[in-house]
Amino acid sequence: MKWRRIVVGTVTFIVPTTIAFFDIVGYVAKVEGASMQPLLNPELSTDKKPESDFVLLNRWKTHGMQFKRGEIVSLSSPTDPDHKLIKRIIALDGDLIKTPGYKSPHVRIPEGYCWVEGDHQKLSMDSNYFGPIPKALLHAKASHIVWPPNRWRKLDVNPTDPDRLISEEQVEAIRDMRLTEID
Amino acid sequence: MIKKIIARSSGVLFYMVQYGCLAHCTFEYLADFCVCSGPSMQPTIYSSDIVLTEHISVNYKRVQKGDIVIARSPTKPLEFICKRVVAMEGDHIFNSNAQNIKFVPRGHVWLEGDNKHNSTDSRIYGPVPYALLRSRVFFKVWPLSDMGKMKMPKEEW
């Protein structure tokens, strides 16, 4: 009788509340790979025993789909739905940016899309490979490193290098320059 | 008296949380109802029809060509779209809008509405990542006269 109560209680209360909490509020996830070095997993690929970082992923803040440039986000990979990536938002819709390794040197981000990159450019599979991605793929913001304990810290928002964003005035200037050349 | 009120209300709150979370899990992982709006899936689904959708085939990658799916809109992150899967990853598809043949890359699907003349779909915004799919429409519950399993459209697939 006692066992039955425990089983029923677990199935009808603990399991659904835990899943709902992870879905709505947030959860902790292990970071794999070196794409966000030196911020995350700095010791990976050195001689030391590799110890992965665990980050706190805040899902609550993504329900409104409002993002800022420089935020670290977790997203589903556009090329593999089972795979989750962790990257930094470089540009939002409407921006015109210079790309370091994409097929075209300048990209205008379409509406509803954004541009994400890893901090470690050489080791990152990011928008330079698959282009702008729909914002709907972003599902959480990474807010803290929570494990190992000595690495506990808040993850800062690093605003994008202003040199990479091309402002509307610059676009106008380039257009004017070209026009005068034609004249 | 006050103790009794607190005990009562905390009991009610407990049940509200419990059933809210149970409902969340059911609607997110099993099945849910959707009220469709817009003309893009006519004549299969009309505006304000109610359909039943299930999440299992999407979660276990069982979606096939010809299935009707609910997905997050790639251009409007807060909105959902209801379209038919026309091509899967690795397929080549003729884009009747741009008049060219497009390749559907790995991890993507090609979505089109059944109403080819009035639908914003992959012909406009290109292949959609599979991760944006949310559920598969399998049963229409409203209007009652049209109740039943979802069918293929009359034209050839």
Side-chain angles (χ1 to χ4, degrees):
Chain A
M1 208 52 203
K2 194 183 157 202
W3 276 107
R4 222 179 97 187
R5 270 194 70 178
I6 293 171
V7 170
V8 169
T10 312
V11 170
T12 61
F13 187 75
I14 296 169
V15 171
T17 41
T18 316
I19 293 174
F21 186 85
F22 288 168
D23 278 356
I24 298 167
V25 182
Y27 59 101
V28 172
K30 186 180 174 186
V31 179
E32 276 162 17
S35 79
M36 285 300 281
Q37 278 177 354
L39 185 67
L40 302 172
N41 283 355
E43 282 169 16
L44 208 75
S45 79
T46 59
D47 297 336
K48 284 187 198 166
K49 189 173 80 97
E51 196 173 45
S52 290
D53 288 337
F54 286 76
V55 289
L56 182 65
L57 296 178
N58 187 330
R59 299 207 66 180
W60 185 255
K61 283 189 184 162
T62 54
H63 292 310
M65 286 286 168
Q66 297 292 319
F67 299 95
K68 284 191 256 188
R69 292 177 202 96
E71 275 177 330
I72 298 175
V73 289
S74 163
L75 59 134
S76 305
S77 162
T79 51
D80 179 5
D82 293 323
H83 210 83
K84 297 272 190 293
L85 307 172
I86 185 160
K87 302 282 172 221
R88 199 185 282 280
I89 296 182
I90 301 295
L92 296 169
D93 32 8
D95 290 349
L96 184 62
I97 59 153
K98 292 173 194 158
T99 64
Y102 190 51
K103 56 190 177 193
S104 68
H106 304 285
V107 173
R108 168 80 70 183
I109 314 296
E111 199 187 339
Y113 286 68
C114 64
W115 187 270
V116 293
E117 276 178 15
D119 284 1
H120 196 314
Q121 293 262 318
K122 280 177 196 155
L123 288 176
S124 173
M125 245 263 276
D126 52 28
S127 279
N128 287 306
Y129 173 75
F130 39 67
I133 55 148
K135 270 197 237 173
L137 284 175
L138 312 180
H139 73 115
K141 294 184 186 185
S143 62
H144 294 81
I145 300 175
V146 292
W147 194 265
N150 59 327
R151 300 212 353 104
W152 171 282
R153 73 178 72 179
K154 195 172 182 294
L155 293 172
D156 298 322
V157 175
N158 277 3
T160 311
D161 180 5
D163 285 350
R164 293 203 49 196
L165 295 167
I166 303 166
S167 68
E168 294 307 318
E169 290 102 64
Q170 277 171 297
V171 176
E172 287 298 315
I174 293 167
R175 201 172 286 150
D176 289 346
M177 217 164 69
R178 280 195 188 144
L179 281 177
T180 48
E181 270 171 27
I182 293 164
D183 286 343
Chain B
M1 179 66 182
I2 292 166
K3 248 185 194 171
K4 215 173 168 184
I5 293 171
I6 292 171
R8 266 284 171 78
S9 46
S10 61
V12 169
L13 196 72
F14 182 87
Y15 280 114
M16 272 168 66
V17 170
Q18 179 175 10
Y19 288 107
C21 293
L22 268 171
H24 169 90
C25 294
T26 316
F27 295 151
E28 287 295 315
Y29 296 98
L30 274 177
D32 60 358
F33 292 97
C34 276
V35 184
C36 301
S37 67
S40 72
M41 280 304 282
Q42 283 171 16
T44 320
I45 299 169
Y46 288 89
S47 214
S48 78
D49 283 4
I50 300 169
V51 292
L52 202 54
T53 76
E54 50 94 4
H55 297 259
I56 295 150
S57 2
V58 171
N59 290 342
Y60 288 92
K61 315 285 170 312
R62 298 274 160 78
V63 174
Q64 293 167 337
K65 256 179 252 186
D67 284 346
I68 302 171
V69 291
I70 309 274
R72 268 187 188 273
S73 163
T75 50
K76 300 187 187 89
L78 289 175
E79 288 179 17
F80 292 95
I81 51 173
C82 178
K83 307 277 175 214
R84 195 181 289 274
V85 178
V86 173
M88 307 289 288
E89 56 180 2
D91 291 346
H92 289 270
I93 175 96
F94 179 70
N95 181 348
S96 54
N97 191 51
Q99 295 291 321
N100 58 7
I101 290 170
K102 277 286 270 187
F103 175 70
V104 184
R106 197 162 70 92
H108 287 66
V109 289
W110 188 272
L111 303 177
E112 278 184 26
D114 281 359
N115 187 356
K116 305 289 178 204
H117 305 291
N118 194 351
S119 167
T120 310
D121 49 37
S122 284
R123 292 171 299 166
I124 312 266
Y125 42 67
V128 173
Y130 188 97
L132 292 187
L133 302 192
R134 188 181 144 81
S135 57
R136 184 179 73 94
V137 178
F138 71 103
F139 199 84
K140 193 192 270 192
V141 280
W142 191 264
L144 287 175
S145 58
D146 201 21
M147 196 166 116
K149 275 191 171 175
M150 297 311 299
K151 290 179 284 282
M152 291 282 175
K154 289 217 175 67
E155 49 182 308
E156 249 180 62
W157 283 91

